[in-house]
Amino acid sequence: MRRPLVVGNWKLNGSLAVNEARMQAIVGAEKDIHQIDIGLCLPYVYLFQAQQLLANTNIMWGSQNVSQFEQGAYTACVSADMVAEFGCQLAIVGHSERRHYSAENSAKAVIRIKRAVDAGITPIYCIGETQAEHAAGEAKKVLAAQLMALLDLDKISLEKIKSFGLVMAYEPVWAIGADQAATPELAQSMHAFIRDLLSKFDAEFAQKTRIIYGGSVTPENAKALFNMPDIDGGLVGRASLDAHAFSSICAAALNYQAPSN
Ligand code: PEP
């Protein structure tokens, strides 16, 4: 049985005051919720604040990336070990905005996944096709290439990732920050495809790995998306900046019935 997971990605938003009010509102709304996992991924500079405000609550916190480097002369990079010191349990890796604005690719993303796992942090590996790739009917080819980049890691690292676990996020780039999410049916078919790809690593790994959907999730569409058998929750951008909307999305995941295998 996979436990639903809803993660807010605050991106480049917030201030100490705004974050405090938002985190307090989310903690207040979710304090009695124990059936699902909830996380917030903040800018690095606010991880200490998250640690102060979210410790001893049922909300996890995480970073929006980690470096592929461990330490050294890499100005402005932040390592997985560093964010682990601030109690992060999650780290987003391979987000399409990092791929687009900072030329990050799957080869770098899989090393970041390894760094996160080595630091005891669960990576949320984002994969998804662009509008052009979607229109060209190449979505599955793109997803397969992004996911199978894990095979470039050494065998020991791959085994470690499989036993520690990771979260996959299907984020069609054309649905991020857009007017509309992917339909539940389309998202389900891509999630099922991703699970099938994961089974090429190991059948048990495929069944236990949570695959969450990201791209214009709202309180209105969350339930239909989360009711799909292979959609195990959401990665939420804009709607996570509104504590009320985010809590409604979490509530939609509460009623989700994941299949047992
Ligand atoms: C995201 O960028 O991870 C995301 C899902 O954003 P939004 O919910 O705003 O589409």
Side-chain angles (χ1 to χ4, degrees):
M1 180 89 164
R2 295 182 296 272
R3 207 172 139 84
L5 169 69
V6 179
V7 177
N9 173 12
W10 286 7
K11 307 194 185 187
L12 180 54
N13 292 292
S15 67
L16 288 170
V18 167
N19 300 345
E20 181 170 346
R22 195 187 291 141
M23 282 192 268
Q24 280 172 348
I26 292 171
V27 166
E30 304 304 316
K31 66 179 186 315
D32 297 321
I33 306 297
H34 301 286
Q35 303 91 322
I36 63 170
D37 290 334
I38 302 171
L40 298 173
C41 289
L42 292 80
Y44 293 125
V45 291
Y46 296 129
L47 293 176
F48 180 70
Q49 185 190 23
Q51 187 176 32
Q52 301 300 299
L53 293 173
L54 300 179
N56 306 317
T57 74
N58 52 349
I59 314 286
M60 296 182 283
W61 60 98
S63 58
Q64 297 171 9
N65 206 351
V66 290
S67 176
Q68 73 263 35
F69 304 113
E70 289 180 280
Q71 61 170 34
Y74 303 106
T75 302
C77 292
V78 176
S79 73
D81 284 339
M82 290 174 181
V83 302
E85 284 199 303
F86 292 90
C88 286
Q89 292 179 59
L90 304 167
I92 296 172
V93 171
H95 192 281
S96 63
E97 286 154 10
R98 300 301 308 169
R99 293 176 192 261
H100 183 73
Y101 297 117
S102 301
E104 289 182 15
N105 55 24
S106 301
K108 287 179 188 164
V110 296
I111 299 172
R112 290 161 198 251
I113 290 172
K114 168 183 159 54
R115 298 285 181 232
V117 167
D118 285 345
I121 295 171
T122 300
I124 301 173
Y125 184 30
C126 300
I127 61 174
E129 78 284 3
T130 63
Q131 174 71 64
E133 290 159 345
H134 183 71
E138 290 178 348
K140 288 185 174 171
K141 193 172 116 195
V142 170
L143 296 184
Q146 291 173 336
L147 180 47
M148 290 302 160
L150 279 168
L151 291 172
D152 294 340
L153 292 173
D154 63 276
K155 224 174 157 199
I156 293 173
S157 298
L158 192 52
E159 286 308 312
K160 189 166 177 187
I161 291 165
K162 278 163 56 182
S163 67
F164 183 84
L166 89 174
V167 171
M168 293 301 305
Y170 171 56
E171 294 215 307
V173 181
W174 47 269
I176 294 178
D179 293 339
Q180 267 197 325
T183 62
E185 293 73 23
L186 175 67
Q188 163 58 27
S189 75
M190 300 311 243
H191 282 231
F193 176 71
I194 293 168
R195 201 172 304 286
D196 193 46
L197 289 174
L198 289 169
S199 71
K200 304 205 184 315
F201 293 92
D202 184 296
E204 195 190 326
F205 175 59
Q207 280 312 311
K208 79 171 186 196
T209 298
R210 290 180 288 190
I211 307 173
I212 60 177
Y213 168 82
S216 298
V217 176
T218 64
E220 291 72 36
N221 62 24
K223 199 166 193 272
L225 285 161
F226 299 166
N227 274 344
M228 290 290 163
D230 287 293
I231 301 184
D232 303 313
L235 181 54
V236 186
R238 281 159 303 164
S240 70
L241 298 175
D242 176 330
H244 183 70
F246 186 66
S247 299
S248 305
I249 292 169
C250 293
L254 252 185
N255 301 320
Y256 162 91
Q257 293 295 322
S260 53
N261 58 326

